[in-house]
Amino acid sequence: MKQNVDVQVVLATPADMEDFFDDASEAAEQFNFIVHVLYDRADEDISASSMDRLFQYCWETWHRYPDLTDIDEDELIDWVDHTLATWDDAGNQDNL
């Protein structure tokens, strides 16, 4: 159940992003936006371990993505929706 996952421990700080981005604060904000949308849109009955794997996948995908700060929120929401819609089909639940 996703309510057993503390989303606060997943959120990025500017210090987490400063090695990869000129504007580490903006990058952290963008990443945290993705994390919150991912959490909000995930099924209520998703297991805590699956939610954790989704968060890890999100981190691996975005924490070094050079154009993260240039992507608008609608595109990030589309990424989240696509990730959630294809997660099980792509076998990702077992890869992380």
Side-chain angles (χ1 to χ4, degrees):
M1 306 304 252
K2 81 177 184 182
Q3 68 268 20
N4 295 328
V5 175
D6 183 5
V7 72
Q8 298 300 314
V9 300
V10 181
L11 299 177
T13 66
D16 295 326
M17 308 303 252
E18 67 187 2
D19 290 340
F20 307 106
F21 297 94
D22 292 333
D23 188 346
S25 293
E26 177 66 21
E29 273 188 45
Q30 286 285 88
F31 178 80
N32 293 342
F33 175 80
I34 299 167
V35 167
H36 281 290
V37 172
L38 186 62
Y39 183 83
D40 290 344
R41 292 185 177 226
D43 288 338
E44 292 298 320
D45 61 347
I46 191 170
S47 70
S49 62
S50 290
M51 195 77 240
D52 287 340
R53 287 191 298 274
L54 277 163
F55 285 145
Q56 178 155 352
Y57 179 70
C58 181
W59 175 255
E60 290 175 2
T61 301
W62 293 107
H63 86 282
R64 292 184 184 184
Y65 190 78
D67 297 322
L68 176 60
T69 57
D70 298 327
I71 300 173
D72 68 40
E73 289 183 353
D74 288 337
E75 291 176 302
L76 295 174
I77 290 169
D78 287 345
W79 180 86
V80 168
D81 289 343
H82 175 76
T83 298
L84 289 171
T86 60
W87 187 251
D88 290 339
D89 294 342
N92 288 320
Q93 73 277 10
D94 296 324
N95 291 338
L96 296 175

